[in-house]
Amino acid sequence: MPARIILLVTSPRLPAGLLTAAAWDAVRQFPVLTAAESEQADALRHAGVPVEVIIPDPERVVSELSGKAAVVWLAGPAGDQDFARQLGLRLTREPELAELELMYGSWDPPGARLLDAVAVLDRLASPGGDPWKRVQTHRSLAQYMLEEAYEAFDAIEADDLETLREELGDVLLQVILHARMAEELPDGSAWGIDDVAGGLVEKMVRRNPHVFADADITDIEEITANWERIKKAEKSRESILDGVALSQPALALAAKILQRAERAGLEVPLPAGDELGPALLRVVAQARAAGVDAEAELRRTTLTYATSVRSAEQKNVGPAE
């Protein structure tokens, strides 16, 4: 059986030393080489496994095989792809020297790149990072949160999933940046991205007992009703309108308030008069009664009108001089 050079790749996003049983068997049985000190190397040494730091030279690694069944190359956090390629080319010239085996000691868990995003934003918002981000406040960033959400909405409306992926990243940037800024709040009031994520997890588990508990729910309507019941029990609100986002567009705001009043069984007369405001509110109420989203309808009609404006604009463009 030919000798082996085991390229051991591990996830830098998991705690050092958290390895598969096969990886632990390999590092305990064969010499371990690496190009630089790392948390993974420290963890192996702490467990009694010698790790030697050497220059990443294929000839040196091949020489270490003398009289041994295998050696382990402990890849760095970035995976040492260039060195692996060099080593593969060297063994291609003399395949009888050894086989190159790729072994994953650990894998990135789902969502691992979120840890990278948090680390990048932490560096940008820390001393020595990006001066612009360092002087921002929650209030100064509020407009960007709204803009990024609208751009994501536009991508959804356009069925442009590739653009949606990018725009969701911009929304995520805002979330992480706001959470990073909140870490510097004074007097024990600080919170961070883990608090945001933790609160979300607890809320989702609590409001979905049909998934995470033994609640027996049969249809979507019952799920929605159960969600609203749990939500109402969680929040001590004095009014059915508490929690309505007042900064949303006016038509959407009107529809939401009408919806809350209807759901509570309140019959509140609509304002009378020929003024524009009362007339618009009555139109929104009529749209709700007809099962129409007034905000979406106005947007659709406005965009159609915008197309007509562009067409008229083109017709009015004179010949080039």
Side-chain angles (χ1 to χ4, degrees):
M1 182 176 181
R4 294 180 296 154
I5 298 175
I6 301 171
L7 179 64
L8 180 59
V9 178
T10 60
S11 169
R13 302 172 185 90
L14 290 179
L18 188 62
L19 304 175
T20 64
W24 274 114
D25 288 344
V27 298
R28 286 180 171 136
Q29 186 176 1
F30 306 117
V32 180
L33 310 173
T34 191
E37 296 292 351
S38 65
E39 292 183 3
Q40 199 68 258
D42 289 341
L44 293 183
R45 292 192 186 104
H46 186 73
V49 175
V51 178
E52 183 180 359
V53 177
I54 67 170
I55 296 174
D57 175 25
E59 296 299 337
R60 171 69 189 277
V61 175
V62 169
S63 69
E64 289 290 334
L65 270 173
S66 178
K68 304 180 184 70
V71 296
V72 176
W73 180 265
L74 178 62
D80 292 1
Q81 294 183 7
D82 288 342
F83 177 64
R85 190 176 299 108
Q86 296 172 21
L87 193 56
L89 291 173
R90 175 64 182 87
L91 295 179
T92 298
R93 294 197 301 269
E94 294 184 78
E96 69 278 4
L97 290 176
E99 292 181 350
L100 183 60
E101 176 184 338
L102 176 62
M103 177 181 290
Y104 285 97
S106 58
W107 295 266
D108 282 347
R113 295 313 302 268
L114 290 174
L115 300 177
D116 294 343
V118 171
V120 167
L121 265 296
D122 176 68
R123 180 173 178 183
L124 289 171
S126 296
D130 178 12
W132 184 87
K133 289 180 176 60
R134 289 283 298 162
V135 299
Q136 298 307 307
T137 65
H138 294 294
R139 188 173 294 276
S140 70
L141 289 173
Q143 61 174 322
Y144 302 111
M145 177 73 82
L146 198 57
E147 288 173 5
E148 301 300 356
Y150 278 135
E151 289 177 10
F153 184 93
D154 284 346
I156 293 172
E157 286 290 289
D159 290 325
D160 188 345
L161 298 185
E162 187 63 26
T163 298
L164 177 61
R165 179 189 61 79
E166 179 182 353
E167 298 302 341
L168 288 176
D170 292 338
V171 172
L172 180 61
L173 183 152
Q174 295 300 314
V175 173
I176 297 175
L177 185 54
H178 277 280
R180 172 61 182 82
M181 291 165 53
E183 292 179 5
E184 299 181 2
L185 292 172
D187 303 328
S189 58
W191 47 269
I193 192 65
D194 284 329
D195 300 290
V196 174
L200 173 62
V201 169
E202 292 170 5
K203 181 189 297 184
M204 291 300 101
V205 171
R206 197 168 53 242
R207 293 189 185 179
N208 290 277
H210 57 290
V211 176
F212 299 103
D214 297 326
D216 186 14
I217 297 178
T218 57
D219 54 36
I220 298 297
E221 289 73 17
E222 194 174 353
I223 290 173
T224 303
N226 203 41
W227 175 285
E228 292 297 334
R229 180 186 59 78
I230 296 171
K231 182 178 179 180
K232 183 176 180 180
E234 290 173 355
K235 299 179 180 291
S236 61
R237 289 174 170 170
E238 298 179 356
S239 169
I240 59 168
L241 301 183
D242 289 348
V244 172
L246 302 180
S247 59
Q248 62 185 298
L251 283 180
L253 175 61
K256 176 61 70 173
I257 290 176
L258 290 167
Q259 178 197 53
R260 290 285 183 93
E262 178 184 316
R263 185 178 295 167
L266 298 175
E267 295 184 5
V268 182
L270 293 170
D274 296 328
E275 294 86 357
L276 183 59
L280 287 173
L281 183 57
R282 291 196 298 273
V283 168
V284 176
Q286 293 167 8
R288 274 194 53 74
V292 174
D293 184 338
E295 179 76 23
E297 287 300 313
L298 179 59
R299 177 180 294 108
R300 185 178 299 110
T301 302
T302 302
L303 291 176
T304 300
Y305 180 71
T307 300
S308 298
V309 170
R310 291 179 183 275
S311 177
E313 187 178 30
Q314 291 297 320
K315 291 178 180 178
N316 289 336
V317 174
E321 294 183 358

